[in-house]
Amino acid sequence: MSASHATTAGSAGAHAGTQDAAQRELRHHFVDMQQQSNTASLGMWLFLVTEVMFFGGMFCAYLIYRLMYFKDFAAASQSINVSWGAANTAILLISSFTMAMAVRCAQLGKQKLLVVFLLFTMLFGAAFLGVKAKEYYDKYEEKHVPGVNFEFKGGLLGHPEYVVNQQHAQMFFSIYFAMTGMHALHMIIGLGLMAYLIIASMRGKFDTSYYTPVENIGLYWHFVDVVWIYLFPLLYLISRTKG
Amino acid sequence: MSENEHHIVPVKLYMLIGGTLLFFTWVTYAVSKIDLGPLNTVVALCIATFKATLVVLIFMHVKYTSEKLTKAVIISAIFFLGLLLTLSLADFGTRNWL
Amino acid sequence: MATAVMPEQRTNYLNAEHGVKSWLLTTDHKRIALLYMVSVTFFFFIGGVYALLIRLELLTPAGDLVQADTYNRLFSGHGIVMVFFFLIPVVPAILGNFLVPIMIGAKDLAFPRINLLSWYLYIIAGMMVIHVLLTGGVDTGWTFYTPYSTAFASPKVVETGLAVFINGFSSIFTGLNFIVTIHRMRAPGMTWSRLPLFIWANYATSLIMVLGTPVIAITLVLLVLERVFHLGIFDPKLGGDPLLFQHLFWFYSHPAVYIMILPSMGIMSELIACFSRKRIFGFQFVALSSVAIAVLGFLVWAHHMFVAGMSVYAALIFSFLTFFIGVPSAIKVFNWTATMYKGSVTYETPMLYAFGFIGLFTIGGLTGLFLATLGIDIHVTDTYFVVAHFHYVMVGGVVMGYLGGLHFWWPKITGRMYPEGLGKLAALIGFIGFNLTFFPQFILGYVGMPRRYYQYPPEFQMLNVLSTAGATILGVGYLFPLVYLIWSLKYGEVASDNPWNAAGLEWKTTSPPPTFNFHEDPVVDFEAYNYDELKEIPRER
């Protein structure tokens, strides 16, 4: 089972033997693929820790200003379309499901199905971004983009007498764009990583002995999903009632 | 991390989790339409945390790893983020006290 | 044994490959360490030039050398370069990169290509900062406080912010690499309790790098967005709170000072054990105190904000928490001292730096406690007392530690010995210069001279003159090693594999090591600091 067996290009299943990928991909400073794979995993988890702290700074800003300017934040939040937000949440959750399925296919050596699930993940990811673009455009039309043409004309549900403070509403939108923008940037990077995985899979790079990048990029994608799981209620659902 | 290479999660479980996540997204949306006062936020965040936990445990295979380090890493992230949020609140939350 | 083979004749990591590409595209952690050594040293001297200009201006009470505006750019440039491009990377990226894999018995770091990426990020960021400095610089201080930095200061703030952001990722990737390496790539038999304390120190440092740096990264992103789009997140005129910036900034920048000191403390343990010929007293305490400092360091950041307008209750909490940091630091100092007690102490250059560190770090650390005390802080905050405090720990601590380590491991890194007589002389000159520069500043601060001012009342002149004189001597103390270390590369005595008869895996391989660190895969069956089994330091090295 030597590495010189040429893998029939891109075909499903590693005809040349299940140890090929691991032998081929083993780097010189590791004892074996197990060590290399465990190392790569820990590296990705630690990277996700840095991402938690990175987004965390913005969550901190959000928290402080929400407490300080609750009513204005509520009014601003009510002006963003919760249906699109909920739809996007569903889209991203489904893409997480397809990503998990993709990793499972990699574990089982199902090359073709791996590519299919990766494609679906990309599709849903792109759909998310499409919806986001629409939402951003709507905000632009309504003049809710800080620093560009900001003018908040909305009110607070159930409190017709309340005059929304322009600056505080703008604060909400600054944070909204910063957080969803940063999240979208991470999704775009995720799509790029997904494309790499698809190309690599089609070239027969992965088999049951080696699929570390699929696993770790999967972790990254799930993390981006988790960030959105929190962003949705925090940004869209501050107050949706007349209370 | 060392174990989840070998543990294959059944498709049915993935589908169950996926379905649960979608269901609770709908729940979050529906509950937000009911006026619970300050509890709205609490409920929304609890549901979000429940969803996040499912993603982390099942989709990210943390439930199936025997590696304690993974869990330590996740808990540290949550802890230090908590520190940032809580101690900042120690300032902003008490400004009006004097 | 004293007749070592000329290093150039054996294949080692230095001569294994030749050519610029083999250096600029290397993934060998040892070569990357040297790449950092050259670049970090370069930035150190740039920061030093700024310091010199500051001290020159402060020779006289009047602002007569430069204008006020220029002076602001001088201390800002000094701070930005020294903090981000010298102090943060100096020990981890140079000595850490070189030694961490070898000390644990590995062939390289976990992610060698990411290691190289770290260096390139550092270089890109460095070039951006040089560009900023050459085109006028920023005058915000290295702290970039808002709303000045977002609404008023020069547009260079954006480029500087982006440079520091990029540099932050250099740091994050180094820390990530170290943590994973130490967890996953220890040689057989190298248990956590056998790890050298330098490794424990770098591990704790890496925890801070990974947890803290991302927060300043996002803060700088928000700063740049605010500046460019006039958002108002930190601007009171637009409903923002400048203190939010300070909280986010210091959440990283306080733990950052522990990124700076912890590796040097790790060096201390190695030096003191070797030159006392004794196992470090209280090994577990010293190891765990590093981790304790890393964790506690995240709980105290707002002690930089006592007079900024924070709630007094928050000030009380942060003051209370700050006192605790003194405990693990003191534990280390006591343990080092106890190690020397009844040890066979000798006074080679590295040990001289170690002695300097212990004394100066203790003074710096104690004055930190003064600053933690709210009542005192109100009086001395933003004065030269603070400046003296942090220079005692940063220069008296970090730099002395680095120089001690550099001299100690120089034979391992280069295969050459430095000239011992000059080494001792430079250490002494540096020590004298340092104290003359910074001790008067404690007094200046106490009697009321504010920091970041280019002019002062005439009665403060004498102390300022002493400080500037000291700075010149200190500069000489730094130029000496620059010259003789470079000299030693060609003319220094050829070093044996273990010129100090020191304990540790790095001394079991050749000086310099081969590209993959060891000629045979190491297996560890001995405890750390097994000096009872090793002979004395030989006369001939």
Side-chain angles (χ1 to χ4, degrees):
Chain A
M1 196 168 24
S2 75
S4 62
H5 274 295
T7 45
T8 44
S11 60
H15 291 299
T18 55
Q19 289 313 304
D20 265 348
Q23 282 174 342
R24 187 185 61 228
E25 300 292 336
L26 183 64
R27 308 223 34 237
H28 70 273
H29 54 291
F30 290 111
V31 169
D32 57 25
M33 181 49 76
Q34 175 86 318
Q35 187 192 36
Q36 178 171 321
S37 153
N38 289 348
T39 301
S41 266
L42 179 57
M44 178 51 81
W45 277 107
L46 282 172
F47 177 70
L48 294 181
V49 168
T50 69
E51 294 274 62
V52 167
M53 298 309 290
F54 188 69
F55 278 94
M58 289 191 286
F59 277 100
C60 185
Y62 166 89
L63 175 69
I64 300 303
Y65 288 126
R66 174 184 164 141
L67 286 175
M68 280 164 57
Y69 306 140
F70 183 77
K71 284 209 172 80
D72 304 305
F73 265 45
S77 167
Q78 285 160 4
S79 79
I80 51 180
N81 189 318
V82 72
S83 304
W84 284 123
N88 248 359
T89 309
I91 290 172
L92 204 50
L93 288 170
I94 294 172
S95 83
S96 242
F97 166 76
T98 54
M99 186 71 225
M101 289 299 294
V103 174
R104 184 175 187 280
C105 290
Q107 286 177 299
L108 294 170
K110 296 184 174 172
Q111 310 276 33
K112 277 212 183 91
L113 213 46
L114 165 61
V115 173
V116 167
F117 276 114
L118 286 174
L119 279 169
F120 268 112
T121 309
M122 270 188 89
L123 190 69
F124 283 107
F128 179 97
L129 288 172
V131 171
K132 207 85 218 99
K134 155 112 182 71
E135 286 182 280
Y136 276 13
Y137 181 72
D138 285 346
K139 286 294 106 189
Y140 172 72
E141 294 250 284
E142 289 172 64
K143 294 192 198 273
H144 288 168
V145 183
V148 171
N149 57 3
F150 193 83
E151 202 193 331
F152 187 77
K153 294 208 182 82
L156 181 60
L157 263 183
H159 297 264
E161 80 293 350
Y162 183 75
V163 179
V164 176
N165 181 310
Q166 288 293 311
Q167 288 180 349
H168 302 171
Q170 172 160 327
M171 186 66 75
F172 173 85
F173 282 105
S174 295
I175 293 178
Y176 168 83
F177 280 106
M179 295 189 87
T180 59
M182 187 57 76
H183 179 262
L185 177 63
H186 280 77
M187 290 216 38
I188 294 171
I189 293 171
L191 289 184
L193 294 171
M194 217 69 57
Y196 155 74
L197 281 183
I198 289 172
I199 295 172
S201 301
M202 286 169 69
R203 290 200 179 141
K205 186 168 164 122
F206 308 121
D207 64 27
T208 53
S209 72
Y210 172 80
Y211 52 89
T212 316
V214 182
E215 217 172 14
N216 290 331
I217 292 175
L219 289 178
Y220 173 83
W221 191 258
H222 292 305
F223 168 77
V224 176
D225 186 21
V226 169
V227 172
W228 184 262
I229 285 174
Y230 280 98
L231 283 184
F232 173 59
L234 290 175
L235 292 174
Y236 290 79
L237 303 178
I238 294 183
S239 167
R240 288 277 162 185
T241 62
K242 296 196 169 64
Chain B
M1 290 180 292
S2 51
E3 289 304 302
N4 61 7
E5 285 191 24
H6 307 295
H7 186 280
I8 313 283
V9 178
V11 178
K12 284 221 168 67
L13 182 58
Y14 278 150
M15 291 180 70
L16 177 66
I17 299 298
T20 310
L21 288 168
L22 289 173
F23 173 69
F24 276 96
T25 305
W26 175 80
V27 169
T28 312
Y29 176 58
V31 168
S32 73
K33 298 237 177 271
I34 308 167
D35 187 356
L36 300 169
L39 270 188
N40 272 112
T41 313
V42 175
V43 169
L45 285 176
C46 281
I47 297 179
T49 304
F50 174 65
K51 287 158 73 180
T53 310
L54 286 180
V55 172
V56 169
L57 285 180
I58 312 291
F59 284 170
M60 295 170 91
H61 294 158
V62 173
K63 184 173 187 297
Y64 303 105
T65 181
S66 59
E67 182 95 57
K68 281 189 283 203
L69 184 57
T70 318
K71 297 172 190 165
V73 165
I74 297 172
I75 294 181
S76 312
I78 299 171
F79 174 73
F80 282 91
L81 176 60
L83 268 184
L84 173 61
L85 299 177
T86 326
L87 284 174
S88 299
L89 272 182
D91 175 17
F92 291 99
T94 62
R95 292 250 180 105
N96 302 327
W97 285 13
L98 203 58
Chain C
M1 187 180 85
T3 51
V5 179
M6 292 291 287
E8 292 77 15
Q9 290 171 4
R10 291 177 304 189
T11 304
N12 56 59
Y13 79 100
L14 287 170
N15 58 26
E17 282 181 293
H18 297 280
V20 172
K21 252 179 85 174
S22 76
W23 281 92
L24 293 182
L25 293 179
T26 184
T27 52
D28 179 354
H29 65 101
K30 300 181 290 300
R31 286 192 167 204
I32 294 175
L34 290 185
L35 290 175
Y36 268 110
M37 191 187 288
V38 171
S39 30
V40 168
T41 308
F42 171 72
F43 280 103
F44 176 68
F45 281 98
I46 296 199
V49 165
Y50 275 80
L52 191 64
L53 291 169
I54 292 172
R55 288 298 345 149
L56 274 177
E57 168 60 78
L58 293 175
L59 265 178
T60 58
D64 45 10
L65 183 68
V66 297
Q67 294 171 332
D69 224 23
T70 312
Y71 188 79
N72 294 347
R73 287 159 211 277
L74 289 180
F75 67 70
S76 302
H78 174 70
I80 291 168
V81 168
M82 285 306 203
V83 167
F84 295 112
F85 293 89
F86 175 68
L87 286 167
I88 294 272
V90 68
V91 179
I94 302 175
L95 294 174
N97 260 328
F98 194 95
L99 293 166
V100 166
I102 304 182
M103 279 183 167
I104 67 174
K107 293 194 169 76
D108 206 315
L109 286 177
F111 307 114
R113 290 172 296 190
I114 293 188
N115 198 16
L116 184 65
L117 175 67
S118 279
W119 183 72
Y120 275 105
L121 291 174
Y122 174 85
I123 292 298
I124 292 170
M127 294 204 295
M128 286 169 75
V129 162
I130 302 265
H131 177 249
V132 167
L133 294 178
L134 288 174
T135 54
V138 290
D139 59 350
T140 56
W142 76 277
T143 45
F144 302 111
Y145 277 9
T146 62
Y148 182 66
S149 59
T150 48
F152 301 98
S154 100
K156 296 279 160 208
V157 168
V158 173
E159 193 179 345
T160 313
L162 290 173
V164 176
F165 173 84
I166 292 171
N167 194 42
F169 278 94
S170 170
S171 195
I172 287 174
F173 289 142
T174 297
L176 195 151
N177 230 332
F178 282 3
I179 294 176
V180 178
T181 305
I182 295 169
H183 272 284
R184 293 284 188 239
M185 298 177 66
R186 284 167 286 131
M190 179 59 87
T191 58
W192 286 88
S193 62
R194 286 179 176 164
L195 280 174
L197 290 166
F198 182 69
I199 300 293
W200 275 98
N202 275 284
Y203 181 78
T205 306
S206 302
L207 292 176
I208 307 177
M209 282 169 160
V210 162
L211 289 163
T213 319
V215 176
I216 197 176
I218 191 66
T219 309
L220 291 168
V221 167
L222 291 175
L223 182 83
V224 166
L225 287 177
E226 170 122 338
R227 173 99 202 182
V228 172
F229 295 109
H230 308 288
L231 293 179
I233 302 181
F234 305 125
D235 189 342
K237 281 212 319 270
L238 297 170
D241 190 341
L243 255 61
L244 177 63
F245 176 84
Q246 292 186 29
H247 276 293
L248 292 174
F249 177 83
W250 287 111
F251 182 85
Y252 163 74
S253 298
H254 185 80
V257 313
Y258 300 113
I259 293 178
M260 301 171 196
I261 196 72
L262 276 172
S264 271
M265 287 173 154
I267 296 176
M268 281 303 110
S269 296
E270 303 300 322
L271 299 185
I272 290 174
C274 178
F275 294 100
S276 310
R277 313 308 296 167
K278 231 174 121 205
R279 179 176 166 83
I280 283 286
F281 185 90
F283 176 94
Q284 285 107 321
F285 277 90
V286 179
L288 293 174
S289 67
S290 294
V291 180
I293 291 173
V295 174
L296 288 174
F298 278 95
L299 297 175
V300 303
W301 76 83
H303 64 223
H304 297 268
M305 297 162 60
F306 284 152
V307 299
M310 224 179 20
S311 122
V312 72
Y313 299 98
L316 284 169
I317 293 172
F318 280 102
S319 168
F320 176 73
L321 290 170
T322 305
F323 283 104
F324 286 102
I325 285 263
V327 175
S329 306
I331 286 178
K332 284 185 194 282
V333 174
F334 289 139
N335 280 314
W336 292 324
T337 322
T339 306
M340 292 191 280
Y341 178 66
K342 292 207 173 156
S344 310
V345 177
T346 52
Y347 300 90
E348 283 79 0
T349 304
M351 192 58 162
L352 291 184
Y353 280 111
F355 276 116
F357 179 107
I358 294 182
L360 300 177
F361 172 75
T362 302
I363 295 175
L366 286 175
T367 51
L369 292 176
F370 292 15
L371 291 165
T373 312
L374 284 172
I376 298 183
D377 189 74
I378 306 230
H379 179 63
V380 296
T381 195
D382 279 333
T383 68
Y384 263 86
F385 192 90
V386 180
V387 175
H389 155 74
F390 64 70
H391 282 93
Y392 261 78
V393 281
M394 295 291 106
V395 182
V398 179
V399 179
M400 290 235 163
Y402 169 64
L403 288 174
L406 188 63
H407 284 77
F408 183 60
W409 282 296
W410 189 254
K412 182 54 55 184
I413 296 173
T414 62
R416 300 279 182 165
M417 282 305 286
Y418 61 86
E420 180 62 40
L422 285 180
K424 287 192 166 86
L425 181 61
L428 208 55
I429 293 176
F431 184 80
I432 293 170
F434 173 85
N435 282 296
L436 191 56
T437 312
F438 293 107
F439 197 83
Q441 293 184 7
F442 276 127
I443 305 173
L444 275 170
Y446 186 70
V447 298
M449 178 172 170
R451 64 186 285 197
R452 296 181 170 177
Y453 274 42
Y454 79 140
Q455 59 192 34
Y456 52 81
E459 53 264 32
F460 293 161
Q461 182 168 23
M462 168 57 106
L463 290 167
N464 271 293
V465 169
L466 284 176
S467 182
T468 301
T472 323
I473 300 172
L474 183 60
V476 170
Y478 291 146
L479 282 173
F480 261 60
L482 181 69
V483 171
Y484 68 64
L485 287 177
I486 294 177
W487 173 91
S488 78
L489 291 175
K490 198 138 189 253
Y491 302 108
E493 189 192 320
V494 170
S496 65
D497 292 351
N498 193 351
W500 311 112
N501 267 346
L505 275 179
E506 74 271 28
W507 301 108
K508 289 194 176 340
T509 187
T510 50
S511 299
T515 303
F516 297 116
N517 296 338
F518 299 96
H519 292 285
E520 289 159 12
D521 288 345
V523 174
V524 177
D525 53 7
F526 46 87
E527 299 303 310
Y529 310 110
N530 51 340
Y531 282 100
D532 44 341
E533 295 167 5
L534 296 168
K535 292 180 279 202
E536 292 170 6
I537 297 177
R539 294 275 150 216
E540 293 297 318
R541 294 194 278 276

